[in-house]
Amino acid sequence: MDIRKLDTYNKSYLQGIERSSQFSYSTQYFWWKKYNTLEKIFCKIFKRCAAHKKKLRILDIGCQIGHDIFKLADKLKHEKIQFEWLGIDINIDFIKVCNIRKKLRDDYQFCKFNFFVGNIEECSLKNEKFDIIICSEVFEHLHSDIKAIKNIHQLLNQDGVLILSTPNIDNKAFKLSKFIGKKIIKNIHNTFKQAAKSEFEFCEKINISEKNDEHINLKKLKDWKKFIIENNFKILSVKRGALFYGSKYIDNSPVLFIIVLFFDKILDYLGILKNWSYNFFLICEKQK
């Protein structure tokens, strides 16, 4: 079998397996913080909505295998309010996994789960309405963010909330570390590049570019804010993600990882410097 001829979905599966086999605790921290931040945001919105609603409808766009939906449902399974969770993804295989996973939660008295193949750019849910929409690490993959945001606006109830997360193209922490590596301690930059390259050697064998071509829609935070406001949303708050994505180089430098964690926690505590993060969350309320 010529693995270079695999279809796009199976290539993505193979890519995921290869990356997960190269366990990285600094990368795991990135994903832990992403889920942890989303959980805190969602629980705060839930409390506000639950004060005047007996049922909540939540849509997760780009749900993959249900990471966010099931994590949040597990967290809130004892709440005495009806939840209807809907997940959509363009990958039919991901949706199959979601439908298997939901069977493990048949005993959740107040939760209903549904998963469908869908694309937010070509929305097929036009008669549906939701109280909360999660769109995490999706917009950077879209060809038409205008179509997507307009469809999201249409799908939300009045005063409904969108939780959007996306990579930060203007991460000041990364720029600072790159400057230090290139101008001050040059061997750091070279060692980091070699470590990063070795993590993705398998990509060449299945014709996947190392240049992360799938991130086709990246903006600075100020541009995302402008985009959101221009499309009839009010920005309630902005939250930081992790300082860096993580890599084998950081894994092999425990002191550096401790320093990264320390500054990450300080920035969270102070609630400043949103641009000092690999990604960020925009919490947005629908306006008329």
Side-chain angles (χ1 to χ4, degrees):
M1 178 183 179
D2 187 351
I3 58 174
R4 292 172 298 177
K5 295 181 180 180
L6 288 173
D7 59 49
T8 304
Y9 291 149
N10 281 308
K11 277 189 178 183
S12 68
Y13 271 120
L14 182 55
Q15 187 177 12
I17 291 169
E18 287 292 334
R19 290 187 69 175
S20 62
S21 69
Q22 303 175 46
F23 182 82
S24 163
Y25 65 80
S26 56
T27 302
Q28 290 299 312
Y29 171 73
F30 166 83
W31 287 110
W32 170 83
K33 187 171 184 188
K34 182 259 184 186
Y35 294 131
N36 185 255
T37 303
L38 174 61
E39 182 182 292
K40 288 178 180 177
I41 293 168
F42 187 90
C43 288
K44 186 175 180 179
I45 296 169
F46 160 73
K47 287 179 181 178
R48 188 182 78 169
C49 294
H52 60 277
K53 292 192 176 187
K54 295 182 179 179
K55 179 180 179 180
L56 284 179
R57 301 194 76 217
I58 303 105
L59 171 65
D60 185 9
I61 299 167
C63 65
Q64 293 193 323
I65 60 172
H67 295 302
D68 294 340
I69 285 180
F70 293 126
K71 180 179 174 63
L72 294 170
D74 292 346
K75 173 74 175 179
L76 299 169
K77 65 181 179 180
H78 298 300
E79 297 289 342
K80 300 299 188 288
I81 184 172
Q82 291 290 333
F83 288 98
E84 186 175 348
W85 303 88
L86 177 63
I88 62 170
D89 200 284
I90 62 172
N91 190 326
I92 189 172
D93 296 312
F94 286 168
I95 297 303
K96 288 178 182 177
V97 174
C98 288
N99 283 316
I100 293 171
R101 291 186 73 190
K102 77 177 185 180
K103 293 179 181 179
L104 297 173
R105 294 162 176 82
D106 285 342
D107 60 337
Y108 282 21
Q109 185 178 358
F110 300 105
C111 287
K112 179 180 178 183
F113 302 98
N114 287 296
F115 298 94
F116 302 98
V117 175
N119 182 344
I120 193 59
E121 293 171 285
E122 306 295 334
C123 188
S124 58
L125 302 168
K126 293 184 178 177
N127 295 323
E128 303 277 358
K129 290 292 182 184
F130 299 91
D131 302 294
I132 303 170
I133 293 180
I134 300 167
C135 191
S136 181
E137 312 303 307
V138 171
F139 262 81
E140 62 271 20
H141 302 282
L142 301 180
H143 290 276
S144 177
D145 53 9
I146 294 290
K147 283 184 180 179
I149 199 68
K150 288 187 180 300
N151 286 333
I152 289 172
H153 190 275
Q154 181 180 336
L155 289 169
L156 274 171
N157 285 322
Q158 192 59 42
D159 299 327
V161 176
L162 164 65
I163 305 171
L164 184 157
S165 75
T166 190
N168 177 15
I169 197 175
D170 193 34
N171 184 0
K172 304 298 185 185
F174 182 76
K175 290 184 176 182
L176 176 62
S177 64
K178 194 173 181 180
F179 173 80
I180 292 172
K182 277 189 171 182
K183 304 294 184 181
I184 301 174
I185 313 173
K186 293 184 179 180
N187 66 307
I188 288 182
H189 181 67
N190 293 331
T191 307
F192 180 83
K193 282 181 67 177
Q194 288 300 317
K197 185 177 180 181
S198 67
E199 290 179 50
F200 297 100
E201 284 177 349
F202 68 89
C203 291
E204 297 177 6
K205 298 179 181 179
I206 52 176
N207 290 345
I208 295 177
S209 169
E210 291 182 35
K211 293 184 178 179
N212 203 12
D213 292 329
E214 60 179 7
H215 282 188
I216 58 176
N217 182 28
L218 296 168
K219 298 181 178 70
K220 294 181 179 181
L221 177 56
K222 65 177 183 179
D223 296 323
W224 278 115
K225 286 181 175 181
K226 181 181 178 184
F227 172 77
I228 291 295
I229 292 169
E230 285 177 347
N231 285 280
N232 300 314
F233 284 90
K234 175 185 177 183
I235 298 174
L236 300 177
S237 63
V238 179
K239 301 294 183 183
R240 298 177 59 256
L243 203 61
F244 292 106
Y245 180 75
S247 76
K248 287 292 182 67
Y249 178 79
I250 297 177
D251 292 347
N252 294 328
S253 308
V255 174
L256 177 59
F257 185 56
I258 291 171
I259 293 171
V260 169
L261 288 180
F262 175 76
F263 279 105
D264 203 34
K265 293 296 182 184
I266 290 294
L267 291 175
D268 282 344
Y269 178 77
L270 295 176
I272 59 174
L273 302 179
K274 310 294 185 186
N275 262 329
W276 288 68
S277 63
Y278 180 87
N279 65 336
F280 45 74
F281 290 79
L282 291 159
I283 300 91
C284 319
E285 185 178 68
K286 176 180 175 176
Q287 303 291 284
K288 293 182 179 180

